[in-house]
Amino acid sequence: METIDLEQHFDAKLAKNEMIEPKDWMPDNYRKHLIRQISQHAHSEIVGMLPEGNWITRAPSLRAKIVLLAKVQDEGGHGLYLYTAAETLQISREELLDQLHTGKAKYSSIFNYQTLTWADIGAVGWLVDGAAIMNQVMLQRTSYGPYARAMVRICKEESFHQRQGYEIMCHLAFGTPAQKEMAQDAMNRWWYPTLMMFGPKDANSSNSANAIKWKIKRESNDELRQRFVNQTVAQAEYLGIKIPDENLKWNETKKGYDFSDPDWAEFNNIIHGHGPCNKERIGARVKAHENGKWVREAAAAFGKKQNAIDVAA
Amino acid sequence: MNNQALFNFLLRIGDTNLILAQRLSEWTGHGPFLEEDLALTNIALDLFGTSRSVLEYAAKIEEKGRTEDDLAFLRGEREFVNPLICELPNGDYAFTIARQCIVDAFQLHFYSELVKSKDETIAGISAKAIKETKYHFRHSASWMERFGNGTEESHERLQNALNFIWAYTEDVFATDAGYNELIKTGIVPEMAAIKSAWEKSMNEVLAKSSVSKPENVFMQKGSLKGIHTEQFGYLLTEMQYMQRAFPGAKW
Ligand SMILES: [Fe+2]
Ligand SMILES: [Fe+2]
């Protein structure tokens, strides 16, 4: 088939909402876009283990510790599903990790913020996982098969995460004055960064148009952000926690809340490496990778020797 | 309370699992590669789970209205009775694996006997723990084999780890008068048989891993009396921070 036929075939598949599979022909830009997006997503999962991992050794009860540890492990598992999905696009894990470690690949900027108190663990689960779910639910219907299937598995676990985060917030919000204060402080610090998670406003989002054309993304940044705000207001009210936005107001015409923009200058700073923890996060990943080098080498060398024995036997 | 011996024994098992899990969980997010990070975290989760069940039972036996969290987060250094080996800092991955293998082999043989305990709760907890520990031991023993026979560097790291850690092996099998009381009532097994089964298992693993067993080692002891290493206070400080800083709060 000529490229033009292949391209028509590809477009026709998309039009019929059929999945694109690894063996199918796909435009080069589609492949590149997917590698970028899936690997960015995978990196976000494993970098995301760090801010929450920061509280594993200090979790305030055995139950809370076990729940948090299992959650952080889930995120690592998500990273694994996603790296595997990215690998179907003919790129190796080693290359992908190298892009993360050298700063060539991005990850969600939210993980460059600090987890300063235990309430941050609640806020991250409730708000950050909550925002992630908005994106991820949509991605279960993304056009690339392996990515969509990874997202189905991931979404099942994500809803637990959000519930667990909200549960932590409940304990705090209905606890002692010090706990309430801790919860409000976490909200004050995490609200705007969470809004940034949906990406720039549609008008300023360069990658969005293609992603929607190729049915990789099915809803725009602004649509998802609006849905998140609408859902979160009532949850915050129940907790008696104030959302730090004087302009937050119900708008009857659009049947949704009006709300303030996050500080996009701050967002750009973080994307360009100047967030509170960018260097720490990448530093921790690089350190783990380097410290693990001899372990991986030992496993590989041993595997080779075993194979040689098996062949000889 | 006339169950002091039983309470002390439960603390020993609960603390063994809790403190080792606390150390393992420091690796989460920092493992040598993703699959192994997840595997080690799984082991930490199992150990935390066991410690929680055991400490919950200990609190019940004690009858002083304490909870498993009170026991984990509000006891001081001298009240913890985990074997010293559990609290040793992680070191490199060879050290973590060597520490794990030594404790896994012990727990495997120990639970295999403890499952016959006349105390039904203990027998039940042990039955669940055996299944988990079998997997843990397979994991740590297979890494011992990989390190011992992998590269020169991995071999050296493993041998160095063993040379340091061997001094803490005898303390794992420590018993006291209370423990001997419990043997008589059929609640716990004789430790001597467990120790020889452990030695056999370790000899096999060490041989397969082409490393040597350290000889003429001066053995450290003290855990049953709450005499710990210097690092232990820091571990507790971190683990207990929230409960100490916010007394009486619910989480
Ligand atoms: Fe995730
Ligand atoms: Fe999550």
Short mmCIF file of all heavy atoms in Angstrom, two decimals, chain A residues 74-97:
data_model
loop_
_atom_site.label_atom_id
_atom_site.label_comp_id
_atom_site.label_asym_id
_atom_site.label_seq_id
_atom_site.Cartn_x
_atom_site.Cartn_y
_atom_site.Cartn_z
N ASP A 74 1.30 1.01 44.30
CA ASP A 74 0.40 1.07 43.13
C ASP A 74 0.94 2.02 42.07
O ASP A 74 0.92 1.73 40.89
CB ASP A 74 -0.99 1.62 43.53
CG ASP A 74 -1.86 0.57 44.19
OD1 ASP A 74 -1.48 -0.62 44.19
OD2 ASP A 74 -2.94 0.95 44.69
N GLU A 75 1.41 3.18 42.51
CA GLU A 75 1.90 4.17 41.55
C GLU A 75 3.10 3.60 40.79
O GLU A 75 3.22 3.79 39.57
CB GLU A 75 2.29 5.48 42.24
CG GLU A 75 1.22 6.13 43.12
CD GLU A 75 -0.07 6.51 42.40
OE1 GLU A 75 -0.23 6.17 41.21
OE2 GLU A 75 -0.94 7.13 43.05
N GLY A 76 3.96 2.88 41.49
CA GLY A 76 5.07 2.21 40.81
C GLY A 76 4.55 1.21 39.78
O GLY A 76 5.07 1.11 38.66
N GLY A 77 3.51 0.47 40.17
CA GLY A 77 2.89 -0.48 39.24
C GLY A 77 2.34 0.23 38.01
O GLY A 77 2.49 -0.24 36.88
N HIS A 78 1.73 1.39 38.22
CA HIS A 78 1.22 2.16 37.08
C HIS A 78 2.37 2.54 36.15
O HIS A 78 2.25 2.46 34.93
CB HIS A 78 0.52 3.45 37.55
CG HIS A 78 -0.66 3.19 38.41
ND1 HIS A 78 -1.33 4.18 39.10
CD2 HIS A 78 -1.31 2.04 38.71
CE1 HIS A 78 -2.32 3.65 39.78
NE2 HIS A 78 -2.33 2.36 39.57
N GLY A 79 3.48 2.95 36.76
CA GLY A 79 4.65 3.28 35.96
C GLY A 79 5.06 2.09 35.09
O GLY A 79 5.33 2.24 33.90
N LEU A 80 5.04 0.91 35.71
CA LEU A 80 5.42 -0.30 34.98
C LEU A 80 4.48 -0.59 33.81
O LEU A 80 4.93 -0.85 32.70
CB LEU A 80 5.42 -1.47 35.97
CG LEU A 80 6.14 -2.74 35.54
CD1 LEU A 80 7.58 -2.46 35.17
CD2 LEU A 80 6.07 -3.77 36.67
N TYR A 81 3.16 -0.52 34.04
CA TYR A 81 2.21 -0.74 32.93
C TYR A 81 2.52 0.22 31.80
O TYR A 81 2.48 -0.12 30.62
CB TYR A 81 0.75 -0.46 33.31
CG TYR A 81 0.17 -1.19 34.49
CD1 TYR A 81 -0.94 -0.67 35.16
CD2 TYR A 81 0.67 -2.42 34.93
CE1 TYR A 81 -1.52 -1.31 36.24
CE2 TYR A 81 0.09 -3.07 36.02
CZ TYR A 81 -0.99 -2.50 36.67
OH TYR A 81 -1.56 -3.12 37.74
N LEU A 82 2.78 1.48 32.17
CA LEU A 82 2.92 2.53 31.14
C LEU A 82 4.25 2.40 30.39
O LEU A 82 4.28 2.59 29.18
CB LEU A 82 2.78 3.91 31.79
CG LEU A 82 1.34 4.22 32.21
CD1 LEU A 82 1.29 5.37 33.20
CD2 LEU A 82 0.46 4.54 31.00
N TYR A 83 5.33 2.07 31.11
CA TYR A 83 6.59 1.85 30.39
C TYR A 83 6.41 0.70 29.40
O TYR A 83 6.91 0.74 28.28
CB TYR A 83 7.73 1.53 31.37
CG TYR A 83 8.28 2.75 32.09
CD1 TYR A 83 8.33 2.80 33.47
CD2 TYR A 83 8.74 3.86 31.37
CE1 TYR A 83 8.82 3.92 34.13
CE2 TYR A 83 9.24 4.98 32.02
CZ TYR A 83 9.27 5.00 33.41
OH TYR A 83 9.76 6.11 34.05
N THR A 84 5.70 -0.33 29.84
CA THR A 84 5.48 -1.47 28.95
C THR A 84 4.68 -1.04 27.72
O THR A 84 4.96 -1.47 26.60
CB THR A 84 4.73 -2.59 29.72
OG1 THR A 84 5.43 -2.82 30.95
CG2 THR A 84 4.70 -3.88 28.93
N ALA A 85 3.67 -0.19 27.93
CA ALA A 85 2.88 0.31 26.80
C ALA A 85 3.77 1.14 25.87
O ALA A 85 3.70 1.00 24.64
CB ALA A 85 1.70 1.14 27.29
N ALA A 86 4.63 1.97 26.44
CA ALA A 86 5.51 2.81 25.61
C ALA A 86 6.48 1.94 24.82
O ALA A 86 6.80 2.25 23.67
CB ALA A 86 6.27 3.80 26.49
N GLU A 87 6.91 0.84 25.43
CA GLU A 87 7.88 -0.04 24.76
C GLU A 87 7.31 -0.67 23.48
O GLU A 87 8.06 -1.07 22.60
CB GLU A 87 8.38 -1.12 25.73
CG GLU A 87 9.47 -0.59 26.66
CD GLU A 87 9.75 -1.49 27.87
OE1 GLU A 87 8.92 -2.37 28.19
OE2 GLU A 87 10.79 -1.30 28.51
N THR A 88 5.97 -0.75 23.40
CA THR A 88 5.38 -1.29 22.16
C THR A 88 5.56 -0.32 20.99
O THR A 88 5.26 -0.66 19.86
CB THR A 88 3.87 -1.56 22.32
OG1 THR A 88 3.20 -0.31 22.55
CG2 THR A 88 3.57 -2.51 23.47
N LEU A 89 6.03 0.89 21.27
CA LEU A 89 6.25 1.87 20.21
C LEU A 89 7.73 1.92 19.81
O LEU A 89 8.23 2.90 19.30
CB LEU A 89 5.77 3.25 20.67
CG LEU A 89 4.26 3.32 20.89
CD1 LEU A 89 3.89 4.47 21.81
CD2 LEU A 89 3.52 3.45 19.58
N GLN A 90 8.41 0.83 20.08
CA GLN A 90 9.81 0.67 19.67
C GLN A 90 10.74 1.69 20.31
O GLN A 90 11.49 2.39 19.63
CB GLN A 90 9.92 0.72 18.14
CG GLN A 90 9.51 -0.59 17.48
CD GLN A 90 8.60 -0.34 16.30
OE1 GLN A 90 8.89 0.52 15.49
NE2 GLN A 90 7.51 -1.08 16.21
N ILE A 91 10.66 1.75 21.60
CA ILE A 91 11.64 2.53 22.36
C ILE A 91 11.89 1.73 23.64
O ILE A 91 10.97 1.10 24.17
CB ILE A 91 11.15 3.96 22.64
CG1 ILE A 91 12.24 4.77 23.33
CG2 ILE A 91 9.86 3.98 23.46
CD1 ILE A 91 12.05 6.27 23.21
N SER A 92 13.14 1.70 24.11
CA SER A 92 13.44 0.83 25.25
C SER A 92 13.27 1.58 26.58
O SER A 92 13.30 2.80 26.62
CB SER A 92 14.89 0.33 25.15
OG SER A 92 15.77 1.41 25.37
N ARG A 93 13.11 0.83 27.63
CA ARG A 93 12.99 1.41 28.97
C ARG A 93 14.23 2.24 29.30
O ARG A 93 14.13 3.32 29.86
CB ARG A 93 12.81 0.29 30.00
CG ARG A 93 12.79 0.75 31.45
CD ARG A 93 11.43 0.66 32.08
NE ARG A 93 10.93 -0.70 32.15
CZ ARG A 93 10.93 -1.43 33.27
NH1 ARG A 93 11.41 -0.93 34.39
NH2 ARG A 93 10.44 -2.64 33.28
N GLU A 94 15.38 1.69 28.90
CA GLU A 94 16.64 2.37 29.18
C GLU A 94 16.66 3.77 28.55
O GLU A 94 17.01 4.75 29.19
CB GLU A 94 17.79 1.51 28.64
CG GLU A 94 19.15 1.73 29.27
CD GLU A 94 19.14 1.67 30.80
OE1 GLU A 94 18.40 0.86 31.41
OE2 GLU A 94 19.89 2.45 31.39
N GLU A 95 16.20 3.84 27.29
CA GLU A 95 16.13 5.14 26.60
C GLU A 95 15.16 6.07 27.31
O GLU A 95 15.43 7.27 27.47
CB GLU A 95 15.64 4.96 25.17
CG GLU A 95 16.68 4.52 24.16
CD GLU A 95 16.02 4.25 22.81
OE1 GLU A 95 15.57 3.09 22.60
OE2 GLU A 95 15.93 5.17 21.99
N LEU A 96 14.02 5.51 27.69
CA LEU A 96 13.00 6.34 28.34
C LEU A 96 13.53 6.91 29.65
O LEU A 96 13.37 8.10 29.95
CB LEU A 96 11.73 5.53 28.59
CG LEU A 96 10.98 5.07 27.34
CD1 LEU A 96 9.92 4.05 27.69
CD2 LEU A 96 10.35 6.27 26.62
N LEU A 97 14.18 6.05 30.44
CA LEU A 97 14.71 6.51 31.73
C LEU A 97 15.81 7.54 31.52
O LEU A 97 15.91 8.51 32.26
CB LEU A 97 15.24 5.32 32.54
CG LEU A 97 14.16 4.39 33.09
CD1 LEU A 97 14.80 3.22 33.84
CD2 LEU A 97 13.19 5.13 34.00
#
